[in-house]
Structures are given as structure tokens and as C-alpha cells.
Amino acid sequence: MLPTGVARTAHPPRVPGAGAGEPSLETWQDAPYNRWAFAHVAEFVPTAPISHRPTVTSADVGIGLDVLLGTLADLERRLDESYTDALVVVRDGRVIADYYREGFTPHTPHLLMSVSKSICGLTVGTLVDEGLIDPSQRVDHYVPALEGSAYGDATVQQVLDMTVDVDYDEDYRNPASHVQSQDRVAGWRPRLAGDPADTYAFLATLRGGGRHGERFKYCSAGTDVLAWIVENVTGLRYAEAVSQRLWSRLGCEHDASITVDPGGFGFANGGISCTVRDLARVGELMLGEGVIAGERVVSADWVRRTRAGGDPAAAAGTVFQRVHSAGSYANQWWITGSDRGDYYAVGIYGQFIWVDPVSRTVVAKFSSLPEPVTEQWNRLHAELFRDICRTAG
């Protein structure tokens, strides 16, 4: 019962100033709603936990940017202009600077989008290390249900490096694209009549020309193929496998989560949420060649092969190479090919792990850009991260 004299009103809006029912399942990924929604994914899509091992928690109070402001006087402006939600800079295992926009803290989770792919790549790496997955083996050896699909006769390594010949439109703004269809199947958008029942069924519908290994073709579905392989090899749901093989071994402070579709499939290509400090630990693992806090998680050989990159010629003509002219893709990570040897994980709307071996620096960034991806935003972030790393180191 309302207190005496208090008028009954409509329930509070999700976002101050938003219209009734907004953001909805149709609009939560769009600006300006994504500034709120990327930290509240579970209000739109069912999620499953990716459990962590309890560890010593950090202080609630952020460190701030003071250490970097001496030589990067315009840093706060650049963070604001790039729609930054949170950023943390780690050098030699120590957090030296962080930033949180109003409403964010070190403990606020945020959607990773395709940074999730690089987490999948590391999870696969742990299984390759133990001989449970052979990268040269065909996909349908591990997932017979994909025989006859675009992925069935591709090798696991070709899926890891995204050189599978698959008919897949990754246009995030096109309602008729494959990526939007996959979003609907995953529960990220309202379903349409005729959509496959779940991601397992969707992946089996994909077709291609069979000329694998020749050209880099970015395709989100490939990461979900890898997750299906992980499930069949381990006998675990993908979220459980990531927890056991990776997340619980990083010293994370918090559980991560992953969105799940009606079949219980974890959306491996973009559905993970976590805190920015826990995300930076993934970069620290790479910087440590598979070791973090003294614990071996994945082999140094896997990390070195990832950092070595793929064939730059396979990615010729891509937007990626307009920013990183010698760039390539390997094991679900982007390799710049620069003199610094830096490499990164990236998700649409501005999610990043940037690793700089020269200064031994990791930068993790959450954003809510107004567009999914543009060459301009990619270039701006590369310049920002390199400036931070040069200052940090």
C-alpha cells in the first residue's frame, strides 16, 4: 500500500527520460540506450554464470588517471569522446590507472560483444594443449551434426583463423543479414517466423563454397562452431567449460556471465559480460605467455602461435588492414603486425583488450559507441591505446 498522500504513478523507466517500455528487445543495442543496456544485459536475454574462484577483492575506489595525465593532458577528453564506460591500464601485473564514467565502478559488468571470441580461442587452446582437440582435424569429426554444412569439411584451425569459405553476411544494420538472424535465434532480437529453433540448428543451415584456407572472412558463427566443439569434447555446457578451463584460473574477482538461447547454447561469439578489471586479466594471461599469478593456464606455444598471426595476404583489402597494414588474424585474436608487436581483442561498439609487449601493458576498455564499427573508430582507438602504452612504459 502506498503511503498516505503519495499518488500512484507508472513504474519508473529503465533509463531516465526513456519512453514507456524502452529500451526493448528491438532497441537495446542502439544508441543512446546501449549506454545503459550493455551493463544490464540480463534484463533482456537469459544468462548463465561463468563462475570464478574466490580471490582477494580490490578496493571500491578507483585509482584514477593521474599517472597518465602528465603527458596525456587530453586523455579524459579522448575517453569521453570515445564513449568510454570503463578503462583500466595494467603494467607488469599492477593496475596503474583506471577510469569509470558516472554510474560505473570496478565491479560493474559490461557486455564484451566479440571480445568474447578471444576468450573462446583461449578455451580451445587449453584443449589443444591436452590433445583433446587437433587443430588440423575436420570440424565434423567433433560435431557430426555439421556434416554437409559450410563448416563440416573445414579444419578447426581454419575456423580459429576465420578462413572458412562460408556464405554469411555480417552487416549489423541489415535486418536480412545472417548476423541479425543469428541474433534473433540467440534471443537478442525478436524472433521471426521460420527462424531456426536455436544456435545448434542455425549453424547447421550455413552453406559455403568449400574453398577454405584461402581468404580471411570475418564470421561470428565460426566462434559458435568452436563452442560446440568445446561442448562435445568436454561433455560440459560452454559456460561451464569456460569457467573450469579459463575463468576460474585467472584470479578473477567476479563471475562472468553469458547469454543463452532457448536450447541452452552459450552465445560464444559475443554474449559474455564481465568487469573491466577481470577482462584485463585475459590480456595479462596473453602477456605472460599463458601464465598469470604463477599459474600456467594455456601453453606458451599457443600464445606464441597466436601472437605470430596468420597470413596477412589472406586479409588483403579489408578495413582492418586499412588501419593495420600488416595485420592478420589468428586463434580469434587480431594481430597488428606493427613494430611493437601489439595485438588485441575487439567487440562492436568499442570493447577492447589491447596488449603491448614493449611496455608490458594491457589496456581493457568498455564503450557504448553510437555505431557498431567504423574504420574511424578503430583508428582512433589504436592511436589512443598506443599513446597510453608509450606513456605507461
Side-chain angles (χ1 to χ4, degrees):
M1 179 178 295
L2 292 171
T4 303
V6 176
R8 186 180 299 277
T9 62
H11 60 78
R14 277 175 162 166
V15 181
E22 292 290 357
S24 66
L25 190 60
E26 291 181 333
T27 62
W28 69 277
Q29 297 182 65
D30 300 331
Y33 299 132
N34 58 359
R35 297 226 82 180
W36 180 88
F38 286 176
H40 298 83
V41 173
E43 291 203 21
F44 301 93
V45 192
T47 64
I50 299 175
S51 298
H52 77 297
R53 180 175 60 197
T55 187
V56 177
T57 59
S58 64
D60 287 339
V61 179
I63 292 173
L65 297 172
D66 291 349
V67 70
L68 298 176
L69 289 178
T71 56
L72 291 178
D74 61 345
L75 179 57
E76 287 190 86
R77 176 188 59 80
R78 292 168 73 180
L79 295 179
D80 182 62
E81 290 180 351
S82 62
Y83 294 82
T84 306
D85 297 321
L87 175 136
V88 65
V89 182
V90 181
R91 184 183 180 205
D92 284 325
R94 183 174 65 90
V95 177
I96 62 171
D98 61 1
Y99 168 91
Y100 306 93
R101 74 168 174 86
E102 185 177 356
F104 267 74
T105 76
H107 309 287
T108 304
H110 192 286
L111 186 62
L112 303 186
M113 291 296 188
S114 288
V115 174
S116 305
K117 292 179 171 68
S118 301
I119 290 173
C120 183
L122 281 167
T123 303
V124 171
T126 68
L127 294 164
V128 172
D129 288 343
E130 296 181 20
L132 298 175
I133 293 177
D134 177 358
S136 66
Q137 186 61 261
R138 284 170 48 133
V139 167
D140 56 13
H141 172 77
Y142 297 104
V143 185
L146 289 177
E147 182 179 1
S149 75
Y151 283 93
D153 62 349
T155 67
V156 175
Q157 190 63 59
Q158 288 165 345
V159 183
L160 284 161
D161 295 344
M162 291 203 185
T163 59
V164 175
D165 183 7
V166 54
D167 297 329
Y168 188 97
D169 182 357
E170 189 92 11
D171 186 345
Y172 305 107
R173 296 298 197 188
N174 180 7
S177 67
H178 292 88
V179 74
Q180 281 215 15
S181 176
Q182 192 168 4
D183 273 4
R184 296 194 304 271
V185 169
W188 282 38
R189 300 180 187 272
R191 292 181 63 88
L192 299 178
D195 283 341
D198 54 27
T199 302
Y200 301 108
F202 172 82
L203 295 175
T205 69
L206 296 177
R207 295 295 182 265
R211 298 182 61 176
H212 309 308
E214 297 180 5
R215 299 291 299 167
F216 170 73
K217 180 177 176 59
Y218 188 80
C219 177
S220 287
T223 307
D224 295 306
V225 169
L226 294 172
W228 196 347
I229 293 172
V230 168
E231 288 193 340
N232 283 7
V233 166
T234 64
L236 301 171
R237 288 292 195 181
Y238 180 69
E240 295 175 284
V242 175
S243 170
Q244 288 190 16
R245 308 198 68 84
L246 185 67
W247 208 253
S248 65
R249 304 171 66 189
L250 296 177
C252 293
E253 298 173 18
H254 302 278
D255 286 354
S257 66
I258 188 169
T259 66
V260 293
D261 71 10
F265 188 92
F267 204 34
N269 82 70
I272 293 178
S273 294
C274 70
T275 66
V276 71
R277 289 189 177 180
D278 282 348
L279 183 61
R281 286 178 167 86
V282 179
E284 289 183 72
L285 178 70
M286 294 293 289
L287 191 59
E289 295 195 334
V291 173
I292 187 169
E295 180 176 356
R296 169 70 63 188
V297 177
V298 69
S299 69
D301 181 62
W302 181 264
V303 175
R304 290 168 185 160
R305 281 188 284 123
T306 301
R307 288 175 49 182
D311 179 8
T318 61
V319 173
F320 170 56
Q321 283 202 352
R322 290 207 293 269
V323 179
H324 306 286
S325 60
S328 63
Y329 191 86
N331 290 340
Q332 307 280 288
W333 286 78
W334 299 89
I335 315 303
T336 70
S338 76
D339 292 341
R340 295 184 72 88
D342 39 20
Y343 54 98
Y344 63 101
V346 63
I348 57 173
Y349 297 101
Q351 326 317 322
F352 284 93
I353 308 170
W354 186 274
V355 184
D356 181 66
V358 172
S359 63
R360 297 198 55 78
T361 302
V362 173
V363 184
K365 184 178 189 285
F366 292 152
S367 318
S368 45
L369 295 171
E371 302 91 15
V373 60
T374 67
E375 179 182 343
Q376 176 187 0
W377 284 120
N378 285 348
R379 191 178 302 279
L380 178 150
H381 278 98
E383 293 171 354
L384 171 67
F385 297 143
R386 283 176 176 151
D387 284 348
I388 288 174
C389 291
R390 291 186 186 102
T391 303

